[in-house]
Amino acid sequence: MKKVILLFITLFSLTYLKAQDFTDALRFANDEINGTARFRAMGGAFGALGGDMSAININPASSVVFSQSEASFSLDYISVNNETNYYNDVRSTSENSFNLSQGGGVFVYASNNPNTKWNKFSLGVAYDRTGNFNDSWTALGFNPSTSIAEYFRGFAEGLPLSDISILQGENLSEAYAEIGSLFGFGNQQALLGYEGFLIDPVSDTDDNTSYINNIVGGNYSQNYGLNSTGNSGKMAFNAAAEYNNVLQLGVNLNVHFLNYERNTIMNELNFNAASVVDTAIFENFLRTTASGVSFQLGSIFKVTKEFRAGLTYQSPTWYNVSDETSQSLTYRFNGASSLRPLNPRVVNVYPEYKLRTPGKITGSLAYVFGERGLLSFDYSRKDFSETTFRPTNDPFFAFQNEEMSSLFGVSNSYRLGGEYRYKDFSFRGGYRVEGSAFEDETFGGDLTAYSLGLGYTYGNLTFDIAFSQSERERNEFLYSNAPTFRETANVNTKLTDIVFTLTLFFSFSF
């Protein structure tokens, strides 16, 4: 049996199947820099300031602002609390984790050539985590009208019965793998619904293309749970230079990565005498890995000794993405004493596909009060509707791109930060608003966050700590790729983050 299943996996890897949708694209397109404790405490408003390792991933000109070479690394504790409302039943869940959120170093050296106005140069490498996917939430409630059977019927409608059935001499694993190889993801869903008795054909003939639900009557008790793990990050290889002590210019070549795993389970019960099935348990697993590249161009200009302005262009990110999925269905006939498993035991390995996420423009202003402190403001604009699956001439990807073009819109983000210094101590605060990626904000609202922090310098070492808390409300599709089962849960997420950073300053010369 193991040999048979491995054969199915190999066949799937060579077949052009698709299960991606706009939620996958949005996961890649979000790129929030977590960063150092100082960066987090000031709301990430560092586009015109520099002088911080995480600022390099916002504006590549930041590295040449350093007065000397330095290295830093950061650890953080993240608590994700979700409050979910599904048909007026409210549930709360939480997820906690420790992570390495940042690390890197920059080498700064002054020019010894008296005949040039290029007076300082820097080279650096900076890693920052851009996404934390450790999450869990539960949606529990009584759905008055729509059973999970509608999920399967939506995929089956219009398909010949012969293309979603187990043929004579086949077992479930063989049929699931072959149907997926020949017809794709939608036919596999219809197969599970039909073989699990959740749906039936209107006529029991091979050319039948119309189906009915076997779970009827309404008032379905549904319990949906999601658990996910993983993270995304960016490694920036940086170079920058300062001209005439007033203009800093920099460039980043970025390498991106993403690892994501998600398990969802829907448990539905009904007590309706007319239903053929009274229990359905539908479980899905997804693993996504990706790598990508992008670049950034940045500048900081000292308008006066105190006043600075910054401008950064972040290119689109070009990703290569791989997905794996597996799923199973368990059901029970109405009034029966035991459950019946329907598990294909097949892993769908999808061909690698390409995704381009949108670029971003950031404008920044900062005012430095000598040695006493500073104020800083960043504004960013990012058009999520430019997110694109490739190749664009593929019919499935063309449909997804059209859907993203209508669902997504321009996100405007604002970050404000301040710092006050007293002797060896620094006191910090920040506030930020990250605009929704959706044109209709009922799908996902703005993220708002505030932050506080403290720093202490001891010789060539700096110790920093920051506390930040953000909140965002969204309507989450239980199955975003379903043709007709379009149920959503309202999820309000509050994320609490505590960051610790150690920074070492040192001299470097050629």
Side-chain angles (χ1 to χ4, degrees):
M1 178 59 73
K2 289 184 178 179
K3 292 182 179 179
V4 173
I5 294 173
L6 286 174
L7 175 62
F8 290 156
I9 293 174
T10 303
L11 287 171
F12 267 60
S13 68
L14 298 175
T15 306
Y16 204 53
L17 301 179
K18 311 173 187 74
Q20 301 81 17
D21 57 37
F22 67 87
T23 60
D24 298 292
L26 188 59
R27 190 178 309 117
F28 291 97
N30 281 318
D31 60 349
E32 180 185 345
I33 301 298
N34 287 260
T36 66
R38 184 177 182 230
F39 181 89
R40 295 288 282 179
M42 294 175 56
F46 270 84
L49 284 174
D52 183 274
M53 285 305 305
S54 291
I56 295 173
N57 265 319
I58 298 295
N59 186 339
S62 296
S63 63
V64 81
V65 176
F66 289 106
S67 58
Q68 59 183 319
S69 302
E70 73 167 63
S72 68
F73 70 91
S74 304
L75 298 173
D76 66 0
Y77 166 79
I78 298 177
S79 176
V80 182
N81 295 279
N82 291 309
E83 185 177 88
T84 307
N85 188 324
Y86 187 64
Y87 286 101
N88 298 316
D89 194 314
V90 179
R91 301 284 161 165
S92 297
T93 55
S94 63
E95 185 76 22
N96 305 309
S97 60
F98 284 94
N99 301 276
L100 173 66
S101 60
Q102 174 274 330
V106 62
F107 299 98
V108 182
Y109 61 97
S111 172
N112 295 320
N113 185 353
N115 298 318
T116 181
K117 291 186 178 181
W118 293 99
N119 50 283
K120 194 164 59 168
F121 302 89
S122 62
L123 294 171
V125 177
Y127 160 77
D128 277 280
R129 191 181 70 244
T130 56
N132 172 57
F133 304 135
N134 295 332
D135 197 10
S136 67
W137 52 269
T138 299
L140 176 63
F142 281 90
N143 190 322
S145 59
T146 309
S147 165
I148 186 62
E150 178 60 24
Y151 169 90
F152 300 97
R153 193 202 65 81
F155 281 107
E157 196 66 24
L159 301 178
L161 181 61
S162 58
D163 292 348
I164 64 169
S165 305
I166 298 177
L167 300 180
Q168 186 175 0
E170 283 187 323
N171 59 38
L172 174 64
S173 296
E174 292 168 337
Y176 182 88
E178 185 175 359
I179 285 174
S181 178
L182 293 173
F183 305 113
F185 176 82
N187 288 58
Q188 288 179 323
Q189 309 315 291
L191 168 71
L192 291 177
Y194 174 62
E195 296 297 338
F197 297 92
L198 273 64
I199 60 173
D200 260 341
V202 171
S203 62
D204 194 13
T205 59
D206 285 349
D207 60 353
N208 172 83
T209 58
S210 186
Y211 300 85
I212 60 172
N213 293 338
N214 279 335
I215 302 178
V216 296
N219 206 30
Y220 310 109
S221 174
Q222 295 175 341
N223 186 349
Y224 177 93
L226 178 147
N227 287 280
S228 64
T229 61
N231 61 81
S232 61
K234 179 172 77 170
M235 182 74 75
F237 298 91
N238 168 264
E242 183 177 73
Y243 182 79
N244 203 27
N245 294 304
V246 296
L247 177 64
Q248 288 108 17
L249 300 172
V251 59
N252 285 347
L253 297 179
N254 304 314
V255 177
H256 302 255
F257 68 87
L258 180 145
N259 295 285
Y260 178 73
E261 292 189 1
R262 181 186 68 215
N263 192 76
T264 65
I265 184 167
M266 167 71 90
N267 189 332
E268 179 182 286
L269 302 175
N270 75 88
F271 304 97
N272 305 319
S275 291
V276 175
V277 171
D278 64 18
T279 302
I281 304 171
F282 185 38
E283 188 166 3
N284 283 267
F285 176 77
L286 166 70
R287 177 185 289 114
T288 298
T289 58
S291 60
V293 294
S294 69
F295 68 89
Q296 289 166 281
L297 303 173
S299 64
I300 299 175
F301 180 70
K302 295 181 181 178
V303 182
T304 67
K305 182 180 179 181
E306 297 82 10
F307 184 54
R308 304 174 185 180
L311 181 65
T312 306
Y313 169 72
Q314 178 175 312
S315 78
T317 302
W318 294 272
Y319 279 106
N320 291 320
V321 190
S322 298
D323 289 334
E324 295 179 11
T325 65
S326 59
Q327 53 186 180
S328 65
L329 176 67
T330 303
Y331 63 96
R332 185 176 67 185
F333 289 116
N334 202 342
S337 58
S338 60
L339 297 169
R340 293 192 176 191
L342 194 67
N343 188 349
R345 302 186 186 279
V346 172
V347 177
N348 298 331
V349 181
Y350 295 90
E352 185 176 87
Y353 60 98
K354 297 182 184 298
L355 178 69
R356 189 195 71 181
T357 64
K360 181 167 65 175
I361 293 287
T362 300
S364 312
L365 298 172
Y367 195 90
V368 180
F369 300 92
E371 297 297 322
R372 292 176 296 168
L374 55 89
L375 288 173
S376 182
F377 172 77
D378 284 7
Y379 163 75
S380 297
R381 184 185 188 276
K382 187 172 185 176
D383 188 352
F384 283 86
S385 66
E386 296 178 351
T387 307
T388 307
F389 285 112
R390 294 174 181 250
T392 56
N393 60 354
D394 177 84
F396 179 84
F397 285 149
F399 171 79
Q400 292 295 329
N401 292 337
E402 184 177 346
E403 186 174 42
M404 290 189 296
S405 180
S406 62
L407 284 174
F408 294 161
V410 173
S411 169
N412 297 297
S413 300
Y414 310 89
R415 301 185 178 201
L416 178 66
E419 181 179 61
Y420 173 74
R421 303 188 187 105
Y422 178 75
K423 295 184 179 180
D424 293 327
F425 291 91
S426 298
F427 304 90
R428 302 161 184 143
Y431 180 78
R432 62 190 174 99
V433 176
E434 303 285 346
S436 172
F438 290 96
E439 190 72 28
D440 182 352
E441 292 192 7
T442 58
F443 290 114
D446 295 345
L447 179 146
T448 58
Y450 70 92
S451 51
L452 298 169
L454 176 67
Y456 176 72
T457 301
Y458 180 78
N460 291 330
L461 294 175
T462 296
F463 304 91
D464 298 296
I465 185 172
F467 169 89
S468 65
Q469 192 167 86
S470 63
E471 189 168 2
R472 189 198 295 268
E473 185 176 356
R474 66 191 188 277
N475 285 313
E476 190 86 19
F477 284 100
L478 304 189
Y479 299 98
S480 57
N481 56 4
T484 56
F485 187 81
R486 307 298 287 172
E487 300 302 295
T488 62
N490 181 266
V491 183
N492 188 71
T493 299
K494 182 177 290 186
L495 187 148
T496 303
D497 192 5
I498 301 174
V499 188
F500 306 89
T501 300
L502 174 65
T503 303
L504 169 66
F505 301 95
F506 58 93
S507 298
F508 179 82
S509 62
F510 286 99

